[in-house]
Amino acid sequence: MKKTLRMLSAVLALALLLTVTAFAEVPAEDRAGNAIAVPAEVNRIISLAPSTTQVLEALGLTDRLVAVDTQTPMYVEGTSELPQFDMMAPDVEQIAALEPDVVFTSGMSYLDDNPFAALTEMGVCVIEIPSSESIAAVEEDIAFIAACLGKDAEGQAIVDEMQAKIDELAAIGAAIEDRKTVLFEISALPYIYSFGAGTFLDEMITLIGAENVMGDQAGWLAVNEEDAVAANPDVILTNVNYIEDSVGEILSRAGWDTVTAVVNQDVHYIDNGASSLPNQHIVDAMIEMAVAVYPEAYAAYAE
């Protein structure tokens, strides 16, 4: 009798899951708040943001891609042969000629105006996903993309796995008492850029048990060299990949020989793609950051 009841419960649970999946609500607004009408069937996708393309890859939907942005092939295998568009200056006529069902875009395409207005007027579903500034918002982006494509359960699975790993790392970070200070450079001299509060990278530094030396400021920041030296970080992280040896460049800077991170040679490169593209791979960057800052506490995560 009990076995029969368990089987009945399992059947009912499965039926409920299938019902929810079948009637999952397709978003009526994109992540920028624009009204959208996602087609009932989406078989032809253009992704003009590598962060979005990586989500599509995780959802198993790269076979539906008919074009990508010029940066995507660096991050997603099998996309180099597809037509490619400059996300900063997309050729709308050529995009339209590919007859996409949806076009995913990012805030990078809207720096001056809306280059996709004509495409929207043609009836193409253009879906804007601005770069999110918190871990929670990044997870919402993933769920949103999945919901647009009828992959709600798969999207939630990605988010759940991502959050579980973040929780693991954060639990270790919460137990760290002697918190190190960190400067994270996203652009090197002569124009140092970093970030303060209100960014997912700042959240990640805090969660691993460290302190962002720029945390008393907000958003993405231009940093004066004198201020960076005066902050005297214990650790310097960099994701600069446009120079050959970004770690060596920091260690050899004139006037930085009194900075604790330089004195101790505690300067580390963090994967640029994982730390700059807002999607599930930020967890990979968070692991790299944790191991770099606290190698003993996070030894289990070291490769």
Side-chain angles (χ1 to χ4, degrees), residues 18-203:
L18 292 174
T19 301
V20 170
T21 302
F23 293 98
E25 186 175 351
V26 177
E29 290 186 351
D30 64 18
R31 293 289 284 157
N34 304 306
I36 56 173
V38 181
E41 289 190 17
V42 178
N43 297 310
R44 297 178 63 81
I45 302 171
I46 292 180
S47 173
L48 299 182
S51 56
T52 297
T53 314
Q54 286 186 322
V55 175
L56 297 175
E57 180 183 37
L59 291 171
L61 297 176
T62 53
D63 60 330
R64 300 190 194 181
L65 287 168
V66 295
V68 294
D69 62 279
T70 55
Q71 300 298 310
T72 279
M74 293 192 296
Y75 303 103
V76 181
E77 292 185 6
T79 59
S80 59
E81 300 303 317
L82 292 171
Q84 297 170 28
F85 295 95
D86 182 349
M87 69 175 75
M88 307 287 284
D91 188 322
V92 172
E93 289 187 3
Q94 288 191 29
I95 289 175
L98 291 171
E99 300 182 343
D101 296 314
V102 298
V103 178
F104 287 105
T105 69
S106 74
M108 294 297 295
S109 297
Y110 298 84
L111 298 182
D112 296 319
D113 54 14
N114 180 3
F116 304 105
L119 204 59
T120 302
E121 291 176 3
M122 296 177 196
V124 177
C125 180
V126 178
I127 303 173
E128 182 184 353
I129 306 175
S131 294
S132 288
E133 297 182 347
S134 70
I135 293 173
V138 170
E139 292 176 340
E140 290 169 6
D141 290 341
I142 296 168
F144 167 81
I145 294 168
C148 286
L149 303 171
K151 295 284 187 176
D152 300 72
E154 292 86 345
Q156 190 58 52
I158 294 171
V159 170
D160 289 345
E161 181 179 355
M162 175 182 174
Q163 188 59 50
K165 187 61 67 176
I166 290 172
D167 290 343
E168 282 182 22
L169 298 168
I172 297 172
I176 293 174
E177 296 181 357
D178 186 13
R179 298 169 69 86
K180 294 182 181 180
T181 57
V182 175
L183 171 66
F184 194 129
E185 294 190 4
I186 57 177
S187 178
L189 280 178
Y191 306 108
I192 299 176
Y193 276 84
S194 187
F195 50 83
T199 61
F200 64 82
L201 284 168
D202 177 74
E203 275 189 81

Side-chain angles (χ1 to χ4, degrees), residues 223-246:
V223 179
N224 180 280
E225 182 177 6
E226 288 74 18
D227 292 340
V229 171
N232 193 26
D234 296 317
V235 181
I236 298 176
L237 304 178
T238 175
N239 69 358
V240 172
N241 63 353
Y242 56 83
I243 57 179
E244 186 174 350
D245 181 10
S246 54

